Amino acid sequence: DGGITQSPKYLFRKEGQNVTLSCEQNLNHDAMYWYRQDPGQGLRLIYYSQIVNDFQKGDIAEGYSVSREKKESFPLTVTSAQKNPTAFYLCASSIGRSYNSPLHFGNGTRLTVT
Amino acid sequence: AQSVTQLGSHVSVSEGALVLLRCNYSSSVPPYLFWYVQYPNQGLQLLLKYTSAATLVKGINGFEAEFKKSETSFHLTKPSAHMSDAAEYFCAVSLYNQGGKLIFGQGTELSVKP
């Protein structure tokens, strides 16, 4: 079955370390997204990519970086510059631009930084 | 700027009772509107979407939503709640001229009492 795979499900890191979250999709979707979810704040867009080798900052890109070297992969690196990295991170994809194409989500990675 | 507001962060209903989750948006142009559901520690799943074809939209699991332009609302309803409907529900809005970005509401947690 097609879908989005995020790994690992839980991730623990020490403060000051960079960490990379994996996101792979086999839906053949062009667009991919990273969202951060905090209790009571809904989902906030970190980065998105509508085509290979191109990506744009979302609303809260500071302290994060991404790459899009392959259509099916969109890894997110949480750098030590991110002041509050502990959160639930969701990766999503869509056929085209999400303004009329629904997003398909992975099951998320819960990152805890101590 | 476009935004979406979900009234009530927590809603509790009895099994078999009507479910009503409220969503209001602000936009000067016709929006695309979505409702997503999230079960604990999982990603989001599309319930339904409005893309101007019909004002009453039917989704999965017996949910439906009605687009009311005069009230700038897109409330989600289900005639009879089931225990399995307990989850968090997100309303989201996007505009064709906003680069494909979805703006999510803060979410409403639905509890269903036996």
Side-chain angles (χ1 to χ4, degrees):
Chain A
D1 287 337
I4 298 178
T5 300
Q6 290 188 243
S7 62
K9 189 171 181 66
Y10 299 95
L11 191 54
F12 298 88
R13 280 294 183 270
K14 294 290 187 184
E15 194 173 319
Q17 294 179 333
N18 293 353
V19 59
T20 298
L21 282 59
S22 171
C23 178
E24 303 279 332
Q25 55 102 354
N26 60 4
L27 299 166
N28 200 32
H29 285 174
D30 288 317
M32 296 187 74
Y33 310 81
W34 274 105
Y35 285 89
R36 171 180 171 140
Q37 184 176 19
D38 297 282
Q41 295 194 48
L43 278 71
R44 293 180 291 168
L45 182 64
I46 304 172
Y47 268 99
Y48 64 103
S49 167
Q50 293 174 338
I51 195 169
V52 174
N53 292 323
D54 188 43
F55 47 82
Q56 287 78 40
K57 292 181 179 180
D59 300 316
I60 56 165
E62 185 176 350
Y64 299 98
S65 65
V66 294
S67 63
R68 187 86 187 277
E69 297 177 0
K70 299 185 296 182
K71 186 176 184 178
E72 58 271 21
S73 179
F74 191 42
L76 173 73
T77 296
V78 184
T79 75
S80 56
Q82 169 49 235
K83 296 178 181 175
N84 293 300
T86 294
F88 190 50
Y89 291 88
L90 287 163
C91 179
S93 70
S94 63
I95 293 174
R97 294 190 175 195
S98 65
Y99 66 80
N100 66 353
S101 300
L103 298 183
H104 296 255
F105 284 86
N107 281 331
T109 292
R110 189 167 298 280
L111 173 65
T112 302
V113 177
T114 58
Chain B
Q2 66 183 76
S3 70
V4 57
T5 302
Q6 291 183 239
L7 296 176
S9 58
H10 292 90
V11 170
S12 181
V13 301
S14 297
E15 191 173 18
L18 170 72
V19 175
L20 171 61
L21 304 182
R22 301 177 186 273
C23 173
N24 288 87
Y25 68 91
S26 63
S27 172
S28 58
V29 298
Y32 293 93
L33 295 158
F34 304 81
W35 274 100
Y36 286 86
V37 61
Q38 183 181 33
Y39 299 100
N41 293 313
Q42 293 187 24
L44 279 67
Q45 178 184 357
L46 180 70
L47 272 179
L48 49 82
K49 64 177 182 179
Y50 167 76
T51 56
S52 77
T55 57
L56 183 62
V57 182
K58 294 188 182 299
I60 63 172
N61 301 338
F63 284 93
E64 62 182 35
E66 185 172 9
F67 173 69
K68 292 187 176 180
K69 184 178 179 180
S70 61
E71 299 177 7
T72 61
S73 69
F74 191 56
H75 302 331
L76 182 71
T77 61
K78 182 174 180 178
S80 177
H82 191 272
M83 296 297 290
S84 62
D85 294 327
E88 189 154 22
Y89 292 80
F90 292 92
C91 182
V93 61
S94 72
L95 301 178
Y96 68 89
N97 60 350
Q98 292 293 318
K101 287 170 50 177
L102 269 183
I103 306 297
F104 284 87
Q106 294 181 325
T108 297
E109 184 175 353
L110 175 66
S111 300
V112 182
K113 299 174 291 185

